[in-house]
Amino acid sequence: MAFLTLLDIAKRSGNDTSLGLIEEGVKTCPELTKIPGRPVAGIEYTYLKRTGRPPVGFRAANAGVESGKSTYEQVRALMYMLSGIVEVDKGVADADPQGPEALQGDEASGVAQSLMEAVGAQVWDGTAADSKGFQGVKQALDPGLALADGGRVAKADTTSGGNNTSVYLVRYGRDGLAFDFGKNGQLELSEFRTETKRKTVNGVETAYPVYTADLTGWIGLRLSTHEAAMRIANVREQDGKAGLSDAIIAKALRYWRGRAPDAIWMNRTAAYLLQASRSVTIMSGAGGKPTGAVENFAPMPTEVYGIPIVITDSIGDSEAFVA
């Protein structure tokens, strides 16, 4: 089955309302436009995660090699219901000069954006972001296992302290990171209906009419093998330390195995630290004198060693230090 983004699936389904909401929401959630996924008929399935490869080797004539087979772990992949409720005061909506549909659309767009941001946070922080959602990449990578022993958590050059962020190297697809979109990938906005909203104000129950709709879909995240992701932890600004640099990323890549990463994910703090760590010399004229008209500061980084950088607001700046 082909891997698609949620936007691709919405275009294929022909649901103009859902497509418009997704197009608006993913502007703040690149996870749903960069990480591919598959529409799944139901809301769960099982698959085999490879945990070991068969042995191979050269052999002499009339001599054998060790035989064996791949080892696998059976994993139950679950999708989780993602939902948002759109509520608009009927009186306010009906008074809109453009009609009630205008305010309904604005509120639906806001709910969709919040929903996409929730997905982004879940991708990296998993159940620490929302206990009712899927496991994230950070949770799948054991910080206690050394890189030399197959660990997938590298560390920046900072020393013990708070307010850290992380950078993630990932590859996508069947042998990497991918979404599962349950119920054939349908993220649907229901028709607006009129309901009575009740709330208690100063001990008195009040009620008023609202237009209500719900935006609902099923989504899960699959990391087919731990080799498909790596985390660089302890990234933050600290005097005398880079926090993040090409060298720190290169050190992490030293322990990468298999197909190369498709992207390096980071937030704006990490991107700034990488930018600040890069030196640049600006020369002017035949004499080779530096010009004073241009600040000696590297441009915003877009890639590292040919691997594109993706900036996201979904990775936070308040992580604990990984010793």
Side-chain angles (χ1 to χ4, degrees), residues 136-171:
V137 176
K138 184 192 298 183
Q139 294 171 299
L141 307 178
D142 180 8
L145 187 61
L147 290 171
D149 296 327
R152 310 302 293 166
V153 179
K155 298 168 187 174
D157 61 348
T158 58
T159 55
S160 180
N163 297 321
N164 300 277
T165 186
S166 289
V167 171
Y168 293 91
L169 289 68
V170 298
R171 68 171 179 244

Side-chain angles (χ1 to χ4, degrees), residues 19-20 48 67 88 94 123 127 134 201 216 236 245 269 285 293-294 308 317-318:
L19 176 59
L48 295 177
S67 63
V88 181
D94 289 344
V123 166
T127 54
F134 52 77
V201 180
T216 304
R236 77 171 190 281
S245 66
T269 296
V294 181
D317 280 320
S318 58

Side-chain angles (χ1 to χ4, degrees), residues 146-266:
L147 290 171
D149 296 327
R152 310 302 293 166
V153 179
K155 298 168 187 174
D157 61 348
T158 58
T159 55
S160 180
N163 297 321
N164 300 277
T165 186
S166 289
V167 171
Y168 293 91
L169 289 68
V170 298
R171 68 171 179 244
Y172 306 138
R174 189 176 301 278
D175 63 342
L177 187 69
F179 285 118
D180 288 321
F181 299 117
K183 305 293 287 184
N184 288 316
Q186 294 300 310
L187 180 64
E188 296 179 326
L189 179 69
S190 70
E191 295 290 335
F192 276 91
R193 57 196 180 271
T194 303
E195 294 184 350
T196 299
K197 177 76 173 182
R198 301 183 185 279
K199 61 192 303 184
T200 301
V201 180
N202 297 326
V204 179
E205 185 179 47
T206 64
Y208 59 97
V210 295
Y211 288 119
T212 301
D214 53 271
L215 183 64
T216 304
W218 290 80
I219 187 170
L221 188 71
R222 182 164 65 93
L223 185 63
S224 62
T225 170
H226 290 172
E227 291 180 351
M230 179 170 281
R231 174 190 175 195
I232 302 175
N234 303 339
V235 175
R236 77 171 190 281
E237 191 167 11
Q238 182 180 358
D239 289 343
K241 304 294 182 180
L244 185 66
S245 66
D246 293 290
I248 290 171
I249 294 174
K251 186 176 180 180
L253 285 168
R254 172 187 174 188
Y255 295 96
W256 187 268
R257 297 292 179 267
R259 185 168 63 85
D262 289 306
I264 302 175
W265 287 78
M266 64 182 71

Side-chain angles (χ1 to χ4, degrees), residues 6-320:
L6 183 59
L7 197 57
D8 295 327
I9 295 170
K11 289 177 180 177
R12 189 178 66 175
S13 69
N15 188 322
D16 291 339
T17 301
S18 295
L19 176 59
L21 292 175
I22 293 169
E23 286 180 327
E24 187 66 27
V26 295
K27 292 177 182 178
T28 60
C29 182
E31 285 79 2
L32 282 166
T33 55
K34 298 294 185 181
I35 301 173
R38 303 183 303 173
V40 178
I43 58 173
E44 66 175 273
Y45 65 95
T46 59
Y47 71 95
L48 295 177
K49 177 188 286 187
R50 187 193 300 271
T51 57
R53 298 187 179 91
V56 299
F58 294 97
R59 68 179 182 87
N62 302 314
V65 294
E66 180 184 355
S67 63
K69 60 181 181 180
S70 294
T71 57
Y72 295 91
E73 171 190 0
Q74 189 175 58
V75 179
R76 183 185 179 203
L78 299 175
M79 279 140 279
Y80 298 81
M81 188 187 299
L82 186 65
S83 186
I85 304 297
V86 186
E87 289 184 340
V88 181
D89 188 306
K90 185 177 184 299
V92 175
D94 289 344
D96 193 300
Q98 301 179 60
E101 294 80 10
L103 189 54
Q104 290 172 357
D106 287 345
E107 284 301 301
S109 178
V111 169
Q113 183 170 323
S114 295
L115 186 142
M116 303 300 175
E117 291 173 355
V119 172
Q122 201 75 21
V123 166
W124 310 112
D125 290 339
T127 54
D130 190 331
S131 61
K132 299 181 181 68
F134 52 77
Q135 186 185 57
V137 176
K138 184 192 298 183
Q139 294 171 299
L141 307 178
D142 180 8
L145 187 61
L147 290 171
D149 296 327
R152 310 302 293 166
V153 179
K155 298 168 187 174
D157 61 348
T158 58
T159 55
S160 180
N163 297 321
N164 300 277
T165 186
S166 289
V167 171
Y168 293 91
L169 289 68
V170 298
R171 68 171 179 244
Y172 306 138
R174 189 176 301 278
D175 63 342
L177 187 69
F179 285 118
D180 288 321
F181 299 117
K183 305 293 287 184
N184 288 316
Q186 294 300 310
L187 180 64
E188 296 179 326
L189 179 69
S190 70
E191 295 290 335
F192 276 91
R193 57 196 180 271
T194 303
E195 294 184 350
T196 299
K197 177 76 173 182
R198 301 183 185 279
K199 61 192 303 184
T200 301
V201 180
N202 297 326
V204 179
E205 185 179 47
T206 64
Y208 59 97
V210 295
Y211 288 119
T212 301
D214 53 271
L215 183 64
T216 304
W218 290 80
I219 187 170
L221 188 71
R222 182 164 65 93
L223 185 63
S224 62
T225 170
H226 290 172
E227 291 180 351
M230 179 170 281
R231 174 190 175 195
I232 302 175
N234 303 339
V235 175
R236 77 171 190 281
E237 191 167 11
Q238 182 180 358
D239 289 343
K241 304 294 182 180
L244 185 66
S245 66
D246 293 290
I248 290 171
I249 294 174
K251 186 176 180 180
L253 285 168
R254 172 187 174 188
Y255 295 96
W256 187 268
R257 297 292 179 267
R259 185 168 63 85
D262 289 306
I264 302 175
W265 287 78
M266 64 182 71
N267 66 13
R268 299 175 201 280
T269 296
Y272 164 74
L273 293 173
L274 178 60
Q275 181 181 13
S277 74
R278 292 180 170 181
S279 60
V280 59
T281 301
I282 302 172
M283 307 301 288
S284 176
K289 296 181 180 180
T291 175
V294 181
E295 185 178 3
N296 187 15
F297 199 66
M300 186 71 174
T302 58
E303 55 84 24
V304 180
Y305 306 118
I307 306 170
I309 292 171
V310 182
I311 305 297
T312 178
D313 292 336
S314 300
I315 302 174
D317 280 320
S318 58
E319 296 178 354

